[in-house]
Amino acid sequence: MPGQIFNQLTLVGCGLIGSSIARVAREKGVVGKIVVADPSEPVRERVTALGLADEVTGDIGAAVAEADLVIFATPVLAIGEAMALAAGDLKPGAIVSDVGSVKGTVADAMATHAPAGVFVIPGHPIAGTEHSGPDAGFAELFDGRWTILTPLDNEDPHYAEAVARLSAFWRACGAQVEVMDAAHHDLVLAITSHLPHLIAYNIVGTASDLEGVTEGEVMKYSAGGFRDFTRIAASDPTMWRDIFVANKDAVLEVLGRFTEDLQALQRAIRWGEAEKLHDLFTRTRAIRRGVIALGQESAEPNFGRDRGKH
Ligand code: NAP
């Protein structure tokens, strides 16, 4: 057992990710006290009923005042605003992090509002499901998954100590930790997570718009690939709206590359270039086997295990 790493953890936002952190932090005994701040009364009621926290409030300032670790687990575009509300009440020496799926713009928003004397360390656990809300969380969510930390440019040795402490927290929660530059994170996630979601939203939209194909047929014959796309396309609309707004540049960059490759495939199909198709499909099958060999077959955000409806 790693033992207690922080006296008080405050989670701002307690949906799928926030409630999973609360569950595992309590289960592993890595924090002394858990406080949750969420503006939504129904969420606060569920958090209380589920016994996820020692205190539950709608007042962000009061929630962070005694915390030595604050984690923002709200949708991406709400993180800067939540940080602004918390800023005046943060304790000197507190570590302030987040779980947002985009790091560049979010890290800038956090750093802009941060008071002197706190350690802002943006983070992103690469783990999730397509479900949301406090009932959807579970303590094993981060087991064996990666949490990426994107520390700010900071030469202070105390900052490095804070990064080491936050890394120890995530390891105690079951995750593996990687440190990365925010811009690199956003590019990697644009191709591994954001673009696949965009494709899923698009293909499900196109199928339901197709003239002559009724929605009934889409449901009835959706086997294999399409069924998986519908699961991904059921992901939280607010969360994904925010991701595409916040990671615009990286998404547009990989989308341009993807569109070129798709056009090359279109040409190969038109001209009957069977070998070309076979070569690509062989290469991608090997990649899938590599993903399984690394034990990350369900690690992509929102590609996680289907825990049933909540
Ligand atoms: P979620 O289940 O919808 O939870 C978000 C929670 O934040 C909700 O309780 C929401 O309340 C609350 N909230 C909204 N605005 C807020 C504000 N201004 N201040 C405080 N709380 C606020 O979403 P989630 O899946 O846990 O995602 C949370 C974050 O984790 C996002 O930034 C997302 O990018 C990141 N993430 C998600 C996944 C995933 O697979 N889901 C994986 C990795 C990282 P309401 O319900 O009232 O809106």
Side-chain angles (χ1 to χ4, degrees):
M1 284 290 274
Q4 188 176 310
I5 299 173
F6 292 100
N7 291 326
Q8 182 183 315
L9 162 66
T10 292
L11 290 157
V12 179
C14 197
L16 168 72
I17 302 293
S19 73
S20 295
I21 296 174
R23 285 174 168 97
V24 67
R26 163 138 319 152
E27 190 179 293
K28 305 281 186 194
V30 285
V31 298
K33 180 176 175 184
I34 299 175
V35 177
V36 160
D38 199 296
S40 158
E41 194 164 340
V43 170
R44 292 200 299 271
E45 279 169 11
R46 285 308 297 153
V47 171
T48 305
L50 291 163
L52 296 178
D54 300 292
E55 280 170 31
V56 185
T57 172
D59 182 342
I60 295 184
V64 302
E66 297 301 320
D68 43 6
L69 173 61
V70 176
I71 299 181
F72 293 103
T74 69
V76 161
L77 294 182
I79 292 173
E81 177 201 328
M83 177 76 185
L85 287 173
D89 294 287
L90 288 165
K91 209 166 71 164
I95 295 176
V96 183
S97 190
D98 74 308
V99 295
S101 306
V102 179
K103 294 275 59 84
T105 50
V106 172
D108 288 348
M110 287 171 78
T112 302
H113 297 295
V118 305
F119 301 111
V120 175
I121 309 170
H124 177 204
I126 314 292
T129 75
E130 69 276 26
H131 303 307
S132 358
D135 286 279
F138 51 101
E140 304 77 25
L141 179 65
F142 310 110
D143 270 359
R145 305 301 180 212
W146 288 98
T147 289
I148 298 176
L149 300 181
T150 62
L152 306 179
D153 193 15
N154 192 326
E155 301 293 312
D156 180 0
H158 297 298
Y159 186 83
E161 271 170 41
V163 173
R165 235 174 129 204
L166 184 60
S167 302
F169 170 83
W170 276 109
R171 283 194 201 96
C173 291
Q176 309 179 70
V177 177
E178 183 87 51
V179 170
M180 198 182 278
D181 170 62
H184 186 66
H185 166 279
D186 289 351
L187 192 64
V188 170
L189 269 291
I191 186 68
T192 58
S193 169
H194 307 169
L195 189 61
H197 277 80
L198 195 68
I199 293 166
Y201 284 124
N202 193 48
I203 196 169
V204 174
T206 304
S208 77
D209 288 347
L210 266 188
E211 249 179 76
V213 180
T214 67
E215 212 171 284
E217 282 172 309
V218 170
M219 309 279 179
K220 189 169 161 191
Y221 301 121
S222 70
F226 188 75
R227 196 178 46 215
D228 284 351
F229 279 124
T230 62
R231 182 173 61 76
I232 297 162
S235 300
D236 188 72
T238 305
M239 171 180 155
W240 284 95
R241 174 204 64 193
D242 283 13
I243 288 172
F244 290 112
V245 171
N247 202 23
K248 173 177 148 181
D249 293 343
V251 169
L252 288 179
E253 190 174 330
V254 296
L255 193 55
R257 180 68 186 266
F258 175 82
T259 309
E260 283 174 24
D261 290 344
L262 194 61
Q263 278 170 349
L265 273 180
Q266 189 177 358
R267 213 167 26 245
I269 293 168
R270 184 182 306 287
W271 298 108
E273 294 170 345
E275 254 337 280
K276 205 176 237 178
L277 297 175
H278 191 263
D279 285 352
L280 175 66
F281 302 162
T282 306
R283 193 152 58 86
T284 56
R285 175 181 256 196
I287 291 169
R288 166 70 184 167
R289 287 179 177 155
V291 170
I292 292 171
L294 282 172
Q296 298 295 316
E297 74 276 12
S298 60
E300 300 93 326
N302 275 18
F303 283 61
R305 41 198 123 168
D306 194 344
R307 307 264 311 175
K309 295 283 167 216
H310 54 95

